[in-house]
Amino acid sequence: MFGLLKMPRRGAFPLWTLVVLLGLTFVPLQLAGCLLDPCLEVIPNITFRCTGLNISGVPTQVPNTTQNLDLSFSHLKSLSSNYFSSVHELQLLDLTRCHIHTIEDNSFKDLYNLSTLILTANYFKYLGPAAFYGLTSLRRLVLVENNISSLTDLPIGHLHTLQELNVGHNNIASLKLPKYFASLTSLRHLSLLSNKITYISRGDLDALREANRFNLTLVLSLNDIKYIQPGSFAKIHLGELALRSSFENFNVMHTSLQGLTGLQVNRLIVGEFSDRQRLKDFQSGLLSGLCQVQMQEFVLICFRAFEDNTDTLFDCIGNVSSIRLVDLQLEEVSKVPMLSQVKHLECKKCKFREVPAMKLSLFKELRVLRITKSKYLNSFRQNFEHLTNLEVVDLSENRLSFTGCCSRLFLGSPNLKYLNLSFNSDISVTGDFTNVKNLLTLDFQHTKLIGPGSYPVFLSLQKLIYLDISYTKTHVKSQCTFCGLHSLQVLKMAGNSFEDNKLANNLKNLTRLHTLDISSCKLLQVDQSTFSALSELKELNISNNKLLSFDPLVYKPLQALTVLDFSHNQLTVLLDSALESVPDSLVSLDLSHNLFDCSCTYLNFLKWVKEKQEILQSKELMVCHIPAYVKNVSLSSFDLSSCQLKTSTMAFSVSVLLAAAVSLFLIYKYYFQLYYSLVLLSGCKHSAERGDTYDAFVIHSSKDQEWVIKELVEPLEGGKPPFQLCLYYRDFLPGVPIVTNIIQEGFLSSRNVIAVISTDFLESKWCSFEFDIAQSWQLVEGRAGIIMIVLEDVDKALLRQKLGLSRYLRRNTYLEWKNREISRHIFWRQLTGALLVGKKMNHEEVKLM
Ligand SMILES: *[C@@H]1O[C@H](CO)[C@@H](O)[C@H](O)[C@H]1NC(C)=O
Ligand SMILES: *[C@@H]1O[C@H](CO)[C@@H](O)[C@H](O)[C@H]1NC(C)=O
Ligand SMILES: *[C@@H]1O[C@H](CO)[C@@H](O)[C@H](O)[C@H]1NC(C)=O
Ligand SMILES: *[C@@H]1O[C@H](CO)[C@@H](O)[C@H](O)[C@H]1NC(C)=O
Ligand SMILES: *[C@@H]1O[C@H](CO)[C@@H](O)[C@H](O)[C@H]1NC(C)=O
Ligand SMILES: *[C@@H]1O[C@H](CO)[C@@H](O)[C@H](O)[C@H]1NC(C)=O
Ligand SMILES: *[C@@H]1O[C@H](CO)[C@@H](O)[C@H](O)[C@H]1NC(C)=O
Ligand SMILES: *[C@@H]1O[C@H](CO)[C@@H](O)[C@H](O)[C@H]1NC(C)=O
Ligand SMILES: *[C@@H]1O[C@H](CO)[C@@H](O)[C@H](O)[C@H]1NC(C)=O
Ligand SMILES: *[C@@H]1O[C@H](CO)[C@@H](O)[C@H](O)[C@H]1NC(C)=O
Ligand SMILES: *[C@@H]1O[C@H](CO)[C@@H](O)[C@H](O)[C@H]1NC(C)=O
């Protein structure tokens, strides 16, 4: 909206008009498609933009709460009484280019709160004498480009609150201020930019004189002033007078400035616009009229060729307290008058090639010196001498390249407190600051420095509070780089480097520091004791480095920290100990652009991020880097519940794995048993079909084989009835695994098992195994078929312990072999009895019995 208010300069005018005309052509077309809702609600209920409408009256969708209304480029044509009564809370009304030719009385009635009214580019044919009635709060009235030819006819005399009246780009030919100006008691700014004023006469400004008004800014630039009658400005006190591109040539300007005699003004701006150069040269004596003008500040702007005629520049402005020379092709400082009173001197975009220290030293009262943005300025060889009041020197944004900074350059300037040498080429710093040891602020940023980092160059700057050596290509090697800076509160050294990319003991004595910027320093590591002295530090910027971790011990001493920028590093996580050491005082923490690991292992950190939302900056840029499936997910929106889910699945898989391991172990350990069970189960199915081949399977130790053959096999197989025994050495099938044999040939094909238990049997693993299988088989098949023959020499205690015999005694046959005749007889009867149980006998056998 306000963009439209920018005064176009004369030269740019046709182009500007063209753009606006083009805009006018296109606006209705663009809006044709959305005519249903032509108003844009910029701030709900408060600000509405309804541009380019063909309407009369305020659009109905604009509510009575509206404070800012933009109706520019609409076809309002004529404003009638109470036109804006539906929006009487308006504070700003923009009616730019609304084709308004008539404003009737009381059109703005009741807009008590309207403070800004913009009527740019309407060509009034009729303005009612009470057109602006009711605007009791109006502060700013913009009547730019309204084809106004005289201030006299403007019905604005009652606007006592008016502070700014802009009647630029009209056809006003006279500066004669109508009487009503005496009653515009609040007026501070009157712009008559780009009008048709040619002559300024005595009496034109009488209205100001009568009102005894001070501090008005009067803009007369871009008029074509041919003459100012001396006395026109006498006894007038202005805040500012701007006369840029107002004169046709040197002579006109020279004589016109004479006409300013008697003016008192805070700031006088004389010169050109860079695109509206009318005067070619600055000639000797041009400003001689200013000797009769009292001013605090003089601004000379946009003058090109100074050539050799510069010597009189300061003649009449040598006692002005503040001089700004802007965009001048001034190559040398003009002659400085004796006893000059200039306190502030600024040369911006001048053409000096060398800091004119010698000549400037003649401004004995100089307090502030600024020479900036001068692209030819590269040399600084002369010294400033005896400027005892000099406090501020700003030489930033030039192309300076020099050595021997800084003591020798400022002889006898003990009050220098501020030195800005930033944005220059290169400076070699010697470490001698004795002449300027009271410096409080020193800025070298973006200037290549030679010295700092290798030597303790700042030793004598014990009062320095502010040091900026950012981007100075400083490589900090010396531990004592910052030694001596006992008062330093702000240290900015972004964009430099440290030895081994490590921050070690370099900051040890900076106990007063409250702001430290070590961003973009390629840091890989920060030593534990680095910050130990920085208990007052409030702001730390350690962003844009390559730090992998946030070591709690490093940051522990920073108990006063309020702002920490740790963005653009390579942090993966803050561990629990780090989270604890994050200072409680923090109000701003930036951890964006790190390489966060969002594995659920770090659930604590992820939870912490959720809790700290109000202090975390750029939260949406704190994103997961790994694992891949959550890459780019913002930590703030990370779904913690997905982690809980994962812990349960994790627990599940862990138990599955454990079970598997246990099973494998068991399988390994009980391989035989399992194998047996398998065979057994397969055997079970067929047990009905299975014919019992043997009466008994004999398990025994191979050492008892002789006994078995002599005392068991021969009597049983040869006896009546004959029993068929299964003996592993005789009946097992060759080529079949022994276990299979034991099971299939031994157990499954026999009705009974005879265990010949001897000391050897008890000691043999195989025998124990076979016996175990026999027991399980017995359990499975449900037979009471184990016949134990315990030989004489067996230790009974060992027997009980090894075989747990007592458990089986009740169900099994327990026989003891004794070598006595009578015992044998009983033994045989019991053995054959047990073997006979369930024996299917054929005919012959029955007969034999
Ligand atoms: C705007 O005004 C309407 C009606 O007066 C009201 O309902 C609504 O809440 C207001 N909106 C805002 C953001 O104030
Ligand atoms: C505006 O509307 C009137 C009728 O309401 C019409 O005659 C006129 O041509 C329109 N003007 C433009 C610029 O659309
Ligand atoms: C604004 O308009 C609403 C109806 O839209 C009305 O109720 C309210 O009284 C009006 N406010 C004022 C101050 O006129
Ligand atoms: C003007 O604004 C003030 C607050 O700034 C408000 O109290 C008053 O009601 C407004 N007057 C009108 C007529 O809207
Ligand atoms: C501007 O005013 C002059 C008379 O002062 C008149 O001749 C001219 O037509 C007007 N221009 C416009 C665009 O209304
Ligand atoms: C004069 O006006 C300027 C702004 O236009 C303001 O900063 C300054 O304080 C004013 N001085 C006096 C004495 O009113
Ligand atoms: C400037 O001031 C000094 C001392 O106050 C005086 O001698 C000198 O004449 C003045 N110069 C001008 C141009 O007013
Ligand atoms: C020094 O000058 C530069 C460039 O004008 C500016 O950005 C910077 O803020 C100044 N330094 C200080 C400490 O004022
Ligand atoms: C640190 O400062 C103390 C005084 O504050 C001083 O005595 C000491 O020499 C300094 N140490 C270094 C290495 O600058
Ligand atoms: C830290 O420094 C970087 C540049 O090095 C800058 O972009 C950022 O804004 C700084 N952070 C703070 C909190 O000032
Ligand atoms: C993550 O974001 C970066 C930059 O926005 C983009 O280049 C990259 O492809 C994204 N990766 C994934 C996995 O979305």
Side-chain angles (χ1 to χ4, degrees):
M1 219 178 318
F2 290 104
L4 288 167
L5 294 175
K6 273 191 202 149
M7 294 308 128
R9 287 143 195 171
R10 269 186 194 167
F13 187 69
L15 182 65
W16 187 73
T17 317
L18 192 69
V19 170
V20 169
L21 285 175
L22 274 172
L24 268 176
T25 325
F26 284 112
V27 160
L29 284 179
Q30 286 165 352
L31 288 170
C34 50
L35 272 179
L36 284 177
D37 193 8
C39 287
L40 180 68
E41 194 169 14
V42 181
I43 301 171
N45 291 357
I46 302 290
T47 300
F48 285 82
R49 185 180 299 153
C50 316
T51 61
L53 306 183
N54 186 9
I55 46 160
S56 77
V58 176
T60 45
Q61 60 267 60
V62 177
N64 60 12
T65 50
T66 306
Q67 293 175 3
N68 305 316
L69 179 59
D70 180 0
L71 288 173
S72 56
F73 298 94
S74 299
H75 287 255
L76 301 182
K77 298 189 186 84
S78 160
L79 304 183
S80 52
S81 175
N82 285 312
Y83 199 87
F84 299 97
S85 59
S86 64
V87 281
H88 60 248
E89 298 207 4
L90 277 189
Q91 293 177 8
L92 184 146
L93 178 58
D94 189 347
L95 297 173
T96 296
R97 226 167 265 279
C98 279
H99 300 87
I100 298 169
H101 49 72
T102 301
I103 301 181
E104 287 175 10
D105 288 352
N106 298 313
S107 292
F108 304 101
K109 192 153 179 280
D110 296 342
L111 295 184
Y112 301 126
N113 280 6
L114 194 71
S115 82
T116 302
L117 176 58
I118 301 168
L119 284 163
T120 298
N122 291 289
Y123 297 103
F124 305 130
K125 292 203 175 74
Y126 176 73
L127 280 182
F132 299 113
Y133 272 27
L135 296 173
T136 52
S137 304
L138 197 66
R139 289 207 294 268
R140 204 166 153 242
L141 178 58
V142 181
L143 293 170
V144 168
E145 216 184 305
N146 289 124
N147 204 18
I148 296 169
S149 51
S150 160
L151 289 171
T152 319
D153 304 332
L154 280 182
I156 57 171
H158 60 288
L159 298 174
H160 305 300
T161 53
L162 199 63
Q163 292 178 358
E164 178 181 337
L165 175 62
N166 192 337
V167 286
H169 297 275
N170 280 297
N171 292 322
I172 298 167
S174 164
L175 182 58
K176 174 79 188 164
L177 298 183
K179 285 236 180 304
Y180 66 75
F181 266 82
S183 56
L184 297 181
T185 46
S186 305
L187 199 66
R188 292 277 169 276
H189 190 106
L190 172 60
S191 174
L192 284 154
L193 185 108
S194 192
N195 271 286
K196 300 279 170 341
I197 297 169
T198 44
Y199 293 95
I200 298 177
S201 321
R202 219 181 282 184
D204 278 359
L205 300 174
D206 279 352
L208 294 184
R209 207 177 275 119
E210 278 161 28
N212 207 10
R213 181 89 55 68
F214 302 118
N215 214 13
L216 179 75
T217 293
L218 179 60
V219 179
L220 293 174
S221 303
L222 289 170
N223 279 284
D224 194 7
I225 296 173
K226 301 208 181 310
Y227 183 64
I228 300 178
Q229 188 177 24
S232 302
F233 287 88
K235 301 214 179 78
I236 297 286
H237 190 140
L238 294 177
E240 180 176 314
L241 176 61
L243 288 166
R244 295 176 69 181
S245 296
S246 299
F247 308 102
E248 191 173 45
N249 57 42
F250 169 82
N251 282 330
V252 170
M253 181 168 177
H254 177 251
T255 48
S256 294
L257 290 185
Q258 305 276 356
L260 296 180
T261 302
L263 170 69
Q264 287 185 40
V265 64
N266 292 340
R267 180 189 293 134
L268 176 62
I269 304 176
V270 169
E272 305 276 282
F273 287 104
S274 57
D275 57 347
R276 290 278 302 140
Q277 301 265 314
R278 304 174 81 189
L279 283 79
K280 293 292 167 252
D281 289 350
F282 184 94
Q283 292 179 26
S284 191
L286 179 66
L287 302 178
S288 62
L290 301 186
C291 278
Q292 311 306 321
V293 176
Q294 265 190 51
M295 54 188 158
Q296 260 87 66
E297 182 176 341
F298 176 69
V299 182
L300 183 63
I301 192 162
C302 286
F303 258 93
R304 287 289 174 260
F306 270 81
E307 311 280 311
D308 299 324
N309 302 319
T310 60
D311 50 327
T312 62
L313 177 60
F314 293 119
D315 272 7
C316 283
I317 57 174
N319 282 351
V320 174
S321 117
S322 178
I323 296 178
R324 295 186 65 213
L325 306 172
V326 182
D327 204 359
L328 301 187
Q329 296 208 338
L330 193 60
E331 289 180 33
E332 269 182 47
V333 176
S334 318
K335 198 185 101 214
V336 178
M338 293 291 286
L339 305 171
S340 148
Q341 301 294 307
V342 176
K343 294 185 180 62
H344 292 240
L345 179 62
E346 173 173 348
C347 305
K348 189 168 150 186
K349 298 192 195 167
C350 290
K351 256 186 123 177
F352 303 138
R353 288 165 198 284
E354 161 127 23
V355 179
M358 256 156 61
K359 261 206 176 130
L360 293 177
S361 296
L362 297 172
F363 287 104
K364 285 293 163 224
E365 301 294 321
L366 208 58
R367 258 181 230 286
V368 178
L369 171 66
R370 296 183 196 275
I371 304 177
T372 58
K373 298 192 177 179
S374 300
K375 60 182 179 203
Y376 301 100
L377 184 60
N378 54 34
S379 159
F380 192 174
R381 280 174 302 183
Q382 305 171 8
N383 306 333
F384 287 99
E385 280 173 25
H386 303 295
L387 292 176
T388 47
N389 296 324
L390 195 62
E391 287 174 14
V392 174
V393 172
D394 182 356
L395 295 170
S396 63
E397 298 184 81
N398 299 302
R399 305 274 163 88
L400 286 173
S401 161
F402 64 96
T403 58
C405 183
C406 297
S407 191
R408 68 161 181 90
L409 299 169
F410 298 97
L411 303 168
S413 299
N415 286 313
L416 193 65
K417 296 195 172 63
Y418 174 104
L419 179 57
N420 195 341
L421 287 162
S422 63
F423 298 95
N424 278 291
S425 294
D426 52 275
I427 294 175
S428 132
V429 181
T430 58
D432 181 5
F433 285 93
T434 36
N435 287 338
V436 290
K437 58 176 183 289
N438 293 323
L439 269 182
L440 302 180
T441 302
L442 182 55
D443 192 345
F444 280 123
Q445 62 172 303
H446 295 272
T447 299
K448 186 184 172 203
L449 290 185
I450 301 137
S454 310
Y455 318 101
V457 294
F458 303 116
L459 269 177
S460 48
L461 292 176
Q462 308 216 343
K463 294 185 180 169
L464 200 70
I465 288 176
Y466 183 105
L467 176 62
D468 193 342
I469 53 167
S470 311
Y471 301 96
T472 52
K473 298 201 165 74
T474 298
H475 182 66
V476 177
K477 277 184 288 195
S478 162
Q479 293 268 305
C480 211
T481 296
F482 302 110
C483 285
L485 295 168
H486 301 318
S487 311
L488 202 66
Q489 292 176 9
V490 180
L491 174 57
K492 300 195 173 191
M493 60 163 305
N496 293 300
S497 57
F498 288 85
E499 184 145 75
D500 299 330
N501 296 326
K502 188 172 84 171
L503 197 58
N505 269 333
N506 316 91
L507 311 168
K508 58 190 166 208
N509 242 10
L510 305 178
T511 50
R512 298 277 178 79
L513 213 57
H514 63 62
T515 300
L516 175 62
D517 185 350
I518 38 173
S519 58
S520 306
C521 283
K522 308 187 190 87
L523 288 172
L524 291 170
Q525 197 192 334
V526 181
D527 268 8
Q528 272 181 12
S529 58
T530 304
F531 298 139
S532 57
L534 308 187
S535 59
E536 289 180 22
L537 198 70
K538 292 194 173 62
E539 286 183 31
L540 173 60
N541 192 343
I542 197 166
S543 67
N544 295 281
N545 284 297
K546 294 177 181 163
L547 299 170
L548 296 167
S549 67
F550 184 93
D551 181 348
L553 292 173
V554 174
Y555 302 92
K556 195 96 192 161
L558 303 177
Q559 285 307 315
L561 205 63
T562 56
V563 178
L564 173 58
D565 190 343
F566 211 103
S567 60
H568 290 94
N569 274 290
Q570 296 175 7
L571 271 186
T572 49
V573 69
L574 294 186
L575 296 174
D576 290 354
S577 53
L579 295 180
E580 274 162 31
S581 70
V582 169
D584 293 332
S585 46
L586 271 192
V587 295
S588 164
L589 173 61
D590 195 338
L591 291 172
S592 60
H593 293 285
N594 276 286
L595 306 177
F596 289 115
D597 181 347
C598 296
S599 312
C600 291
T601 332
Y602 303 122
L603 196 60
N604 275 352
F605 171 61
L606 297 170
K607 277 185 186 154
W608 180 86
V609 168
K610 299 256 180 196
E611 282 161 20
K612 294 289 176 184
Q613 291 289 299
E614 76 280 9
I615 65 164
L616 289 171
Q617 309 296 307
S618 308
K619 293 181 277 267
E620 65 288 354
L621 299 173
M622 281 178 76
V623 298
C624 304
H625 181 67
I626 46 172
Y629 63 91
V630 285
K631 199 176 165 99
N632 283 5
V633 169
S634 136
L635 259 67
S636 327
S637 56
F638 188 84
D639 185 8
L640 292 178
S641 61
S642 69
C643 265
Q644 263 115 31
L645 200 72
K646 261 172 225 131
T647 22
S648 62
T649 42
M650 277 272 277
F652 179 70
S653 18
V654 165
S655 21
V656 166
L657 274 176
L658 239 133
V662 169
S663 317
L664 275 175
F665 174 75
L666 288 176
I667 287 172
Y668 171 74
K669 181 134 191 236
Y670 296 105
Y671 166 72
F672 290 134
Q673 283 85 339
L674 283 164
Y675 187 86
Y676 164 66
S677 312
L678 274 177
V679 179
L680 203 60
L681 285 173
S682 65
C684 268
K685 288 185 214 150
H686 312 292
S687 68
E689 317 149 14
R690 200 180 61 218
D692 292 331
T693 321
Y694 303 107
D695 291 305
F697 169 48
V698 183
I699 55 178
H700 60 88
S701 161
S702 54
K703 293 192 180 144
D704 299 324
Q705 190 163 333
E706 202 179 316
W707 183 90
V708 168
I709 294 169
K710 193 160 152 261
E711 303 289 346
L712 212 55
V713 179
E714 284 175 7
L716 282 178
E717 293 197 337
K720 283 179 190 159
F723 291 101
Q724 192 63 38
L725 297 183
C726 171
L727 297 163
Y728 73 85
Y729 59 87
R730 186 186 70 190
D731 301 315
F732 278 9
L733 301 172
V736 176
I738 182 85
V739 184
T740 314
N741 259 325
I742 291 174
I743 292 164
Q744 291 203 323
E745 291 304 310
F747 295 122
L748 293 183
S749 310
S750 311
R751 279 187 300 115
N752 293 290
V753 174
I754 297 174
V756 179
I757 298 170
S758 64
T759 311
D760 291 328
F761 183 97
L762 291 177
E763 280 167 6
S764 155
K765 276 197 174 157
W766 267 107
C767 294
S768 306
F769 172 59
E770 285 178 327
F771 190 74
D772 280 346
I773 293 179
Q775 287 179 5
S776 2
W777 168 72
Q778 182 187 24
L779 278 176
V780 174
E781 297 272 293
R783 297 191 200 179
I786 301 183
I787 300 162
M788 279 170 281
I789 300 173
V790 182
L791 298 187
E792 257 177 322
D793 55 342
V794 174
D795 176 354
K796 294 284 156 41
L798 184 67
L799 178 72
R800 214 162 287 128
Q801 181 206 334
K802 282 265 175 160
L803 302 182
L805 266 184
S806 51
R807 284 195 304 177
Y808 304 101
L809 288 180
R810 250 172 266 144
R811 291 176 63 193
N812 296 325
T813 312
Y814 177 84
L815 302 173
E816 288 191 25
W817 168 260
K818 300 219 172 66
N819 222 354
R820 284 174 303 166
E821 201 63 34
I822 177 78
S823 312
R824 267 197 225 178
H825 184 71
I826 301 168
F827 171 81
W828 278 111
R829 266 185 38 201
Q830 286 175 328
L831 180 57
T832 46
L835 287 176
L836 273 174
V837 177
K839 180 169 166 75
K840 290 179 205 132
M841 277 181 277
N842 54 32
H843 224 57
E844 272 169 72
E845 280 168 342
V846 174
K847 259 199 273 174
L848 278 171
M849 285 197 61

